[in-house]
């Protein structure tokens, strides 16, 4: 009898703990959409995107090709988050992590892989250890969205 009660309570504990530890995809949607597209959110960059917990995939048109970007915030090292002014004078968000924190691929209108041409825009094709994209809003607003995203997708645990 004790064994049945223990198994029942263990089942309840794991059920409730996993229910409360799930990623709130609405928060991820809103926070990352704001970080990428500013006040216009996702609509400023794409209408083709998928959010699966902390892995986000979207397609962004660029000239005569489509860029497929995959962000895996499970691999993010949030302590490395920084902004940097690029050669174009814009602020950029930079986040390091494990290989695959960002993946970029490009395809032309005929679905031919043209990922090697991304270097022209200073982008690294394939899997990388660094995520980078422009900051389109005032930095304090961007940081607020970043903190919301961090709460949902804590990434790699690191003391430093």
């Amino acid at each position: 009898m004790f064994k049945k009660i223990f198994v029942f309570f263990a089942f309840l504990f794991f059920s409730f703990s996993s229910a409360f530890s799930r990623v709130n995809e609405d928060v991820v949607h809103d926070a990352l959409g704001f970080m990428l597209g500013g006040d216009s959110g996702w609509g400023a960059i794409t209408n083709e995107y998928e959010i699966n917990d902390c892995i986000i995939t979207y397609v962004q048109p660029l000239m005569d090709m489509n860029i497929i970007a995959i962000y895996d915030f499970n691999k993010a090292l949030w302590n490395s988050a920084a902004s940097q002014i690029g050669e174009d004078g814009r602020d950029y968000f930079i986040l390091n992590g494990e290989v695959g924190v960002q993946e970029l691929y490009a395809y032309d209108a005929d679905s031919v892989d043209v990922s090697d041409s991304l270097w022209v825009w200073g982008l690294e094709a394939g899997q990388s250890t660094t995520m980078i994209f422009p900051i389109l809003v005032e930095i304090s607003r961007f940081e607020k969205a970043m903190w919301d995203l961090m709460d949902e997708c804590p990434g790699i645990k690191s003391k430093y």
Side-chain angles (χ1 to χ4, degrees), residues 21-25 28-29 50-56 71-74 149 152-153:
S21 66
R22 295 196 61 129
V23 171
N24 184 335
E25 291 182 359
V28 173
H29 172 273
E50 178 182 343
I51 299 171
N52 185 5
D53 288 333
C54 293
I55 301 172
I56 295 86
Y71 296 151
D72 187 346
F73 288 102
N74 296 312
L149 184 57
E152 295 301 318
C153 303

Side-chain angles (χ1 to χ4, degrees), residues 7 12 28 44-46 49 71 78 96 103 110 112-113 119 123 126 140 145 157:
V7 170
L12 282 178
V28 173
I45 53 170
T46 188
Y49 60 92
Y71 296 151
W78 286 105
N96 295 317
E103 294 182 50
D110 298 321
V112 174
D113 186 344
W119 69 269
L123 301 172
S140 65
K157 302 287 185 222

Side-chain angles (χ1 to χ4, degrees), residues 11 40 47 59 76 103 111 137-138 143 145 155 157:
F11 174 76
S40 299
N47 59 5
V59 178
E103 294 182 50
S111 298
V137 296
E138 202 274 326
E143 287 175 347
K157 302 287 185 222

Side-chain angles (χ1 to χ4, degrees), residues 2-16:
F2 176 74
K3 188 175 181 181
K4 287 182 181 179
I5 293 172
F6 176 76
V7 170
F8 176 72
F9 281 112
F11 174 76
L12 282 178
F13 172 76
F14 287 117
S15 296
F16 283 119

